[in-house]
């Protein structure tokens, strides 16, 4: 038996094959190909990174203002100081008087004349040759030196197996037709170039990753991604799903339209037509219904559920939080119970007995419309005949939890239709890459009567002033929200601050009734407070973020958000969507406490300037990166290593075209390409 050796540091970084090393591309480069005399180096001026060399003529350790080593080198043209604030005895020895050093760094004006603080130092003879290529600097983890990675990469690039792995097999003709220029190198050359760019390489484009060598690599990576997304699309179309065409006499659907207290907006009619059309196909729907907060997505879900129920199939509606789910439950009850349809509620917090009861109803098919949190998937509930799954704010569930509900009725195997709903618009680039197999419908129109919201950003030190304004507001007979922030570290602390604000506001506003709602309240208690607010028995509602979703009180058109700097873009956007629903002009006050980080400042500013969910989502994406938006937080899950969706957006279209042609004309090459780029990660894309 062979004993298994522990993985090396490089292997721990995933650098376990020549191919992995070849694809471990530099983050930046250092130019060690040029050598200046010290005199030239000093002439270059401040802030320039230079390489020079000389003999050590002095080496002293100073103790003031702190312990440090000062080394002076000289080359016959001039002298230069090297300053080390941390150093080892070995370095002291290495840089003893008389040794010859080649150093790199930025020259600046020090106390004792020109100096370099912490230069890169090598002990070399004066005539040691200069490297002919730029020196790569690799992403590394703790304990792994650049030298280690450089050596391993250099070896990997010479490995015979790598030639095979990087062999060119994309048809030349196809590439020539699709690529914008013919100056993109072959893959292997591109990779070699990126590891060892020649001395005269254009470092700017290398750094910005817009160099043709980078383009080539990025294109290949995108191509792999597009191929696997297109395959997922094709696979879905081969799957069976029950068809729900609009009936001649469509009982529940028609009834529902009658009981609704409003007419659908033009946008709602359009998306419902799209979804209705999907439901009448023989393969499962996979559609995202996108619409800003308050645009009226829920009723579309209800219509889809009605259609499915008209065929005797079940619908499950899932939301990521209990409050969100509850809101759907209440709305659906309001609409469906007058039609004699029982709406079932299933959440993690139900008592075991109640839960079992609901589960039995689901299994027997008696429950037709089931609303709940993701307990619905997690608890492996088995549905008698699930026809449609509606997932609200699906990005919060995470990609891995996307459903794959297979059903068996008799001997027939089928997949249910799926509809995702989100108020967070997916930027186009993201939709084209990560969500290519998702059809998208957009509600781009708010129900009539909505007013734009004025957003103000105010320092917390002006709290008294804000409360004064609140007083005037309430005196007009209007209502308001006061939102206390989520404190992630401690629910108790969060409750405490909410209670404090509640008490302060109760005292400050004696003529009005102030209510408090928070996550610790029981459902009935919460519902009671909400009902009182809706009935205007409560004029000011102090709340932790439980009102993030759902509440719908059109007379409440003012919202104050405390510690707005602690909220993310999407949260504030959602919260703010609660106001602006009635005839009054709506105001949202974002109170912030100093110090404000740069990103928080930028965020508040954006939120003040725009209430366009699309703009906000774009900002969010550039700040957080796609991983988080998708719900796949672990960086390892993010598929694209070399592509930046914003910088390289135009490449996506090329890759899409190439993927289509490759699948159609060269299906034999597809597997090979996927294997090269994705390896084990293809699983992720199928999720
Ligand atoms: P969201 O898209 O944020 O989930 P909702 O579905 O909760 O929005 O709808 C917000 C509010 O607008 C609800 O009270 C809903 O009943 C109402 N609503 C939806 N559609 C219309 C419409 N066409 N006309 C008037 N009100 C509507
Ligand atoms: Mg909603």
């Amino acid at each position: 038996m062979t004993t298994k050796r522990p993985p090396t540091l490089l292997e721990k970084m995933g650098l376990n094959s020549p191919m992995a090393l070849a694809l471990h591309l530099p983050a930046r480069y250092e130019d060690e190909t040029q050598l200046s005399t010290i005199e030239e180096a000093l002439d270059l001026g401040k802030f320039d990174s230079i390489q020079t060399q000389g003999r050590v003529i002095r080496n002293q350790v100073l103790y003031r203002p702190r312990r440090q080593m000062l080394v002076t080198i000289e080359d016959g043209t001039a002298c230069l100081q090297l300053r080390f604030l941390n150093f080892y005895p070995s370095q002291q020895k290495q840089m003893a008087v008389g040794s010859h050093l080649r150093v790199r760094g930025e020259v600046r004006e020090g106390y004792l004349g020109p100096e370099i603080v912490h230069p890169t130092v090598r002990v070399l003879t004066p005539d040691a040759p200069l490297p002919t290529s730029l020196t790569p600097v690799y992403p590394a983890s703790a304990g792994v030196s650049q030298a280690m990675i450089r050596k391993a990469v250099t070896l990997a690039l010479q490995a015979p197996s790598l030639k095979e792995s990087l062999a060119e097999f994309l048809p030349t003709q196809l590439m020539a037709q699709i690529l914008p220029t013919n100056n993109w190198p072959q893959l292997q050359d591109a990779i070699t170039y990126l590891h060892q760019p020649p001395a005269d390489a254009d470092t700017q484009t290398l750094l910005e990753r817009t160099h043709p060598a980078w383009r080539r690599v990025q294109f290949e990576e995108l191509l792999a991604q597009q191929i696997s997304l297109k395959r997922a699309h094709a696979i879905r179309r081969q799957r069976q799903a029950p068809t729900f065409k609009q009936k001649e006499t469509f009982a529940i659907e028609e009834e529902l339209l009658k009981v609704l207290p409003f007419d659908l907006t033009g946008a709602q009619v359009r998306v419902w037509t799209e979804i209705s059309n999907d439901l009448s196909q023989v393969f499962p729907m996979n559609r995202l219904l996108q619409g800003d907060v308050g645009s009226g997505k829920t009723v579309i879900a209800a219509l889809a559920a009605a259609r499915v129920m008209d065929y005797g199939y079940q619908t499950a509606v899932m939301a990521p939080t209990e409050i969100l789910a509850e809101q759907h439950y209440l709305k659906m009850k309001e609409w469906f119970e007058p039609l004699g349809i029982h709406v079932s509620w299933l959440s993690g917090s139900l008592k075991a007995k109640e839960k079992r009861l609901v589960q039995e109803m689901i299994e027997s098919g008696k429950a037709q419309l089931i609303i709940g949190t993701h307990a619905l998937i997690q608890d492996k509930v088995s549905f008698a005949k699930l026809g449609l799954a509606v997932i609200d704010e699906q990005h919060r569930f995470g990609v891995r939890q996307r459903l794959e509900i297979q059903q068996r009725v008799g001997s027939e195997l089928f997949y249910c239709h799926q509809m995702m709903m989100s108020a967070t618009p997916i930027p186009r680039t993201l939709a084209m890459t990560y969500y290519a197999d998702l059809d998208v419908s957009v509600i781009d129109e708010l129900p009539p009567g909505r007013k734009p919201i004025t957003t103000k950003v105010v320092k917390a030190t002006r709290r008294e002033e804000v409360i004064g304004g609140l007083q005037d507001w309430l005196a007009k007979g209007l209502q308001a929200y006061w939102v206390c922030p989520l404190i992630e570290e401690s629910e108790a602390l969060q409750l405490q601050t909410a209670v404090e604000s509640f008490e302060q506001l109760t005292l400050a506003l004696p003529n009005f009734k102030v209510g408090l709602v928070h996550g610790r309240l029981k459902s009935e208690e919460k519902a009671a407070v909400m009902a009182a607010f809706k009935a205007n028995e409560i004029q000011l509602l102090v709340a932790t973020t439980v009102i993030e979703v759902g509440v719908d009180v059109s007379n409440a058109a003012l919202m104050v958000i405390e510690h707005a700097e602690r909220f993310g873009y999407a949260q504030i956007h959602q919260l703010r969507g609660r106001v602006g629903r009635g005839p009054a002009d709506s105001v949202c006050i974002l109170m912030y406490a100093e110090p404000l980080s740069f990103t928080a400042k930028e965020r508040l500013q954006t939120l003040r300037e725009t209430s366009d969910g699309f703009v906000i989502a774009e900002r969010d994406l550039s700040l957080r990166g796609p991983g988080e938006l998708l719900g796949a937080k672990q960086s390892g899950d993010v598929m694209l290593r070399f592509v930046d969706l914003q910088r390289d957006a135009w490449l996506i279209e090329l890759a899409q075209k190439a993927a289509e042609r490759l699948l159609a004309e060269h299906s034999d090459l597809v597997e090979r390409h996927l294997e090269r780029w994705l390896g084990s990660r293809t699983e992720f894309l199928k999720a």
Side-chain angles (χ1 to χ4, degrees), residues 1-199:
M1 228 178 83
T2 54
T3 47
K4 216 171 158 196
R5 64 174 174 80
T8 64
L9 286 170
L10 286 178
E11 284 166 349
K12 277 192 193 154
M13 285 175 67
L15 304 177
N16 48 13
S17 67
M19 183 64 172
L21 282 156
L23 292 182
H24 190 67
L25 293 170
R28 58 188 180 85
Y29 303 91
E30 276 170 4
D31 187 356
E32 296 178 339
T33 65
Q34 310 293 325
L35 194 63
S36 324
T37 64
I38 295 180
E39 190 180 29
E40 286 164 348
L42 299 184
D43 278 348
L44 281 172
K46 283 183 227 167
F47 306 120
D48 278 316
S49 185
I50 54 100
Q51 177 165 250
T52 187
Q53 59 183 2
R55 207 173 55 85
V56 178
I57 54 167
R58 190 165 55 211
N59 181 329
Q60 35 178 183
V61 176
L62 303 182
Y63 291 88
R64 239 171 281 165
R66 53 180 282 199
R67 185 169 177 271
Q68 52 185 291
M69 176 167 74
L70 266 185
V71 176
T72 311
I73 58 169
E74 174 279 324
D75 72 346
T77 67
C79 295
L80 179 66
Q81 305 273 356
L82 313 176
R83 186 187 296 272
F84 298 85
L85 300 173
N86 295 302
F87 58 94
Y88 298 107
S90 60
Q91 285 175 302
Q92 216 174 332
K93 215 176 284 169
Q94 191 186 35
M95 292 182 240
V97 172
S99 36
H100 189 271
L101 308 180
R102 192 169 282 177
V103 301
R104 269 175 43 75
E106 280 169 22
V107 182
R108 57 161 219 180
E109 203 57 45
Y111 308 119
L112 309 168
E115 65 176 18
I116 304 181
V117 179
H118 281 273
T120 313
V121 175
R122 276 191 284 175
V123 182
L124 287 174
T125 56
D127 54 357
L130 288 164
T132 52
S133 56
L134 301 178
T135 309
V137 180
Y138 291 102
S141 56
V144 182
S145 71
Q146 288 297 321
M148 257 160 98
I149 304 180
R150 282 175 197 149
K151 201 168 135 203
V153 170
T154 307
L155 277 176
L157 291 177
Q158 291 158 2
S161 71
L162 192 70
K163 248 200 164 57
E164 169 72 12
S165 307
L166 291 176
E168 196 68 41
F169 58 75
L170 295 178
T172 329
Q173 204 197 347
L174 187 152
M175 296 286 278
Q177 283 163 1
I178 284 175
L179 299 186
T181 64
N182 54 11
N183 75 348
W184 286 7
Q186 300 246 314
L187 184 60
Q188 174 147 26
D189 297 340
I191 298 265
T192 310
Y193 191 95
L194 292 174
H195 284 291
Q196 302 164 345

Side-chain angles (χ1 to χ4, degrees), residues 381-400:
V381 181
S382 53
F383 292 85
K385 246 177 138 180
L386 186 66
L388 170 68
V390 177
I391 309 161
D392 198 9
E393 296 300 346
Q394 77 94 27
H395 65 276
R396 291 214 236 159
F397 281 108
V399 176
R400 287 184 190 286

Side-chain angles (χ1 to χ4, degrees), residues 103 125 135 151 174 182 192 194 211 254 311 321 354 371 392 400 406 461 476 511 579 582 604 627:
V103 301
T125 56
T135 309
K151 201 168 135 203
L174 187 152
N182 54 11
T192 310
L194 292 174
H211 189 280
E254 202 165 18
Y311 280 82
T321 67
E354 296 169 312
I371 322 281
D392 198 9
R400 287 184 190 286
Q406 273 189 43
T461 46
K476 283 189 230 162
N511 300 330
V579 296
L604 294 178

Side-chain angles (χ1 to χ4, degrees), residues 400 434 624 626-628 631-641 681 684:
R400 287 184 190 286
Y434 292 87
R624 296 190 299 171
E628 206 173 323
K633 286 223 177 81
Q634 302 91 324
S635 58
D637 278 351
V638 176
M639 288 294 314
L640 298 169
R641 293 167 64 187
R681 290 185 296 164
F684 174 72

Side-chain angles (χ1 to χ4, degrees), residues 445-475:
E445 175 188 357
L446 293 179
R450 297 283 161 79
K451 289 263 183 78
I453 303 161
T454 310
T455 299
K456 297 179 181 168
V457 178
V458 174
K459 255 191 222 174
T461 46
R462 291 171 58 197
R463 190 184 177 98
E464 293 304 323
E465 217 176 301
V466 170
I467 295 175
L470 191 56
Q471 164 108 29
D472 298 342
W473 178 272
L474 298 178

Side-chain angles (χ1 to χ4, degrees), residues 262-265 268 291-299 331 335 447-448 450 552 578 581:
F262 48 75
D263 292 328
L264 297 184
T265 61
Q268 282 171 322
D292 216 336
V293 185
S295 61
K297 297 182 288 290
T298 318
V299 67
K331 264 268 139 66
W335 291 331
R450 297 283 161 79
D552 204 15
R578 297 301 114 208
R581 299 192 162 199

